[in-house]
Amino acid sequence: MSRILPVLHPGARHWLPRLLAPVTRSTRADRWCASRLTPLGFPVDLSVATSTPWTTRYATEFVSPEQAPADRLAVGLDRLRSLGIPSPDEGLTALLLRAHRQHTVMWGAWLSGRHDDAGDRFKLYVEVPKGAAIPVEREITALLGILPFPLPEGRLRLVGLDTASRRAERYYQVGRLTMSDIRGIAPLHLRARANTLHAALGDLLGRSLGEELYGVNANITLTPGALTICGPAVSWLGPDHVARDRLVAFAARSGLDLGQYAALTSGCTAHQHGHHGIVSLTLGPDPDICLSIVFSPFAVNSP
């Protein structure tokens, strides 16, 4: 942590140690390598997005590793209040708390932060237990007044709750995915541009994609104004050093700003594995496709 904090925005340097205090105080010998958040077990991951290229983004554990997964959401909500961070929408959190009490939970809840000159923003990521996916999906869509996910094989895996508004992101695990599916899932005002997302995915993967996206290990994230296709970097792009080179080259071809990521990871991934997490392409209101990359702080250059 002492190595990565100096490269982050001042807001992150203020908040991240406070959020991690329960981990720091834990007496568990494995407290820095037991998280399910990252492939290597570290309790923090970093991310960059070309839509806001110089915003510091991360997701983090923010409750003690001693807490059972089923209790982490309830304890996390208490922590938000004690830190002065607004709690997300009460109806949505109550729904998810019930699901966590009644079903098997694997990891519970994480918190993400975004920090730049516009201020500090937070989002609560909450697991949707496998056994509760169908009823939680039904109730969330009713609470938000939105349509259910149209692919019958899609399973709601987690929900991202903005702490300052009623906005919610829904993350779905999908199997078979076609171009027709992408058009049908996209918000109505974006459907005419669905081919742009399809073309960007093919360019990033380095191969032609037909109507059915065979061999693409992809999940879907939905908000009212955007559609995201995401997948693990290792299956999309290969090991860390190959993934980095391909991501930087794709950004250059597409005119996207990946300068922060390139600077942070330069020379750090040649012999490492498991440092890249999820890669995402988002079709939203901006004319350009947004590329997002999640990666481990272990891959970050020292200042």
Side-chain angles (χ1 to χ4, degrees), residues 20 27 32 84 99 132 145 164 182 185 198 269 281 303:
L20 279 169
T27 58
W32 293 106
I182 294 174
I185 294 168
H198 182 264
T269 57
L281 292 173

Side-chain angles (χ1 to χ4, degrees), residues 216-295:
V216 179
N217 181 5
N219 294 319
I220 297 293
T221 304
L222 282 178
T223 69
L227 165 66
T228 297
I229 298 179
C230 48
V234 66
S235 67
W236 277 20
L237 304 171
D240 282 310
H241 65 288
V242 176
R244 182 190 181 278
D245 290 346
R246 293 179 66 179
L247 288 163
V248 171
F250 170 79
R253 289 194 304 272
S254 306
L256 302 175
D257 185 349
L258 213 54
Q260 184 188 39
Y261 165 79
L264 289 175
T265 60
S266 176
C268 290
T269 57
H271 303 291
Q272 298 172 345
H273 299 279
H275 291 81
H276 284 79
I278 298 296
V279 174
S280 306
L281 292 173
T282 298
L283 179 67
D286 295 334
D288 292 328
I289 294 291
C290 172
L291 170 66
S292 302
I293 309 163
V294 175
F295 57 100

Side-chain angles (χ1 to χ4, degrees), residues 177-191:
L177 189 64
T178 68
M179 188 58 202
S180 296
D181 294 332
I182 294 174
R183 293 191 192 96
I185 294 168
L188 186 61
H189 65 288
L190 296 175
R191 289 180 183 174

Side-chain angles (χ1 to χ4, degrees), residues 1-302:
M1 287 302 300
S2 62
R3 184 170 63 86
I4 66 169
L5 282 175
V7 305
L8 304 182
H9 186 274
R13 295 201 296 269
H14 169 75
W15 275 104
L16 194 50
R18 296 180 69 192
L19 296 174
L20 279 169
V23 178
T24 304
R25 292 193 298 262
S26 171
T27 58
R28 283 182 51 162
D30 64 349
R31 63 189 182 279
W32 293 106
C33 59
S35 173
R36 299 181 67 98
L37 176 62
T38 64
L40 299 177
F42 195 66
V44 181
D45 66 29
L46 302 179
S47 63
V48 295
T50 58
S51 57
T52 52
W54 296 99
T55 296
T56 291
R57 298 167 176 250
Y58 58 81
T60 183
E61 301 282 6
F62 69 119
V63 300
S64 172
E66 276 84 8
Q67 292 291 339
D71 299 327
R72 293 173 62 80
L73 175 56
V75 174
L77 290 169
D78 287 340
R79 276 223 77 210
L80 293 183
R81 286 187 283 269
S82 70
L83 290 166
I85 298 174
S87 297
D89 181 87
E90 290 184 3
L92 295 173
T93 53
L95 165 63
L96 292 163
L97 282 167
R98 288 197 302 273
H100 282 210
R101 287 194 294 267
Q102 297 169 1
H103 298 272
T104 301
V105 179
M106 301 302 295
W107 54 268
W110 297 314
L111 190 71
S112 74
R114 298 182 183 186
H115 308 276
D116 52 29
D117 292 344
D120 307 313
R121 287 93 68 201
F122 299 95
K123 185 186 300 177
L124 187 64
Y125 290 118
V126 183
E127 177 185 358
V128 176
K130 186 175 182 179
I134 293 175
V136 167
E137 156 83 358
R138 183 170 58 245
E139 292 188 54
I140 280 182
T141 54
L143 283 170
L144 297 176
I146 54 179
L147 294 174
F149 192 65
L151 303 184
E153 68 273 22
R155 180 173 73 83
L156 185 63
R157 298 182 63 195
L158 64 143
V159 180
L161 302 176
D162 190 289
T163 63
S165 73
R166 201 167 180 259
R167 292 195 301 271
E169 294 177 344
R170 296 170 290 151
Y171 299 76
Y172 292 89
Q173 183 178 24
V174 297
R176 173 180 174 272
L177 189 64
T178 68
M179 188 58 202
S180 296
D181 294 332
I182 294 174
R183 293 191 192 96
I185 294 168
L188 186 61
H189 65 288
L190 296 175
R191 289 180 183 174
R193 296 174 52 215
N195 286 340
T196 305
L197 182 58
H198 182 264
L201 180 60
D203 185 12
L204 177 61
L205 298 180
R207 59 188 176 89
S208 177
L209 298 177
E211 168 62 24
E212 184 157 355
L213 280 61
Y214 286 109
V216 179
N217 181 5
N219 294 319
I220 297 293
T221 304
L222 282 178
T223 69
L227 165 66
T228 297
I229 298 179
C230 48
V234 66
S235 67
W236 277 20
L237 304 171
D240 282 310
H241 65 288
V242 176
R244 182 190 181 278
D245 290 346
R246 293 179 66 179
L247 288 163
V248 171
F250 170 79
R253 289 194 304 272
S254 306
L256 302 175
D257 185 349
L258 213 54
Q260 184 188 39
Y261 165 79
L264 289 175
T265 60
S266 176
C268 290
T269 57
H271 303 291
Q272 298 172 345
H273 299 279
H275 291 81
H276 284 79
I278 298 296
V279 174
S280 306
L281 292 173
T282 298
L283 179 67
D286 295 334
D288 292 328
I289 294 291
C290 172
L291 170 66
S292 302
I293 309 163
V294 175
F295 57 100
S296 168
F298 288 125
V300 171
N301 268 326
S302 299

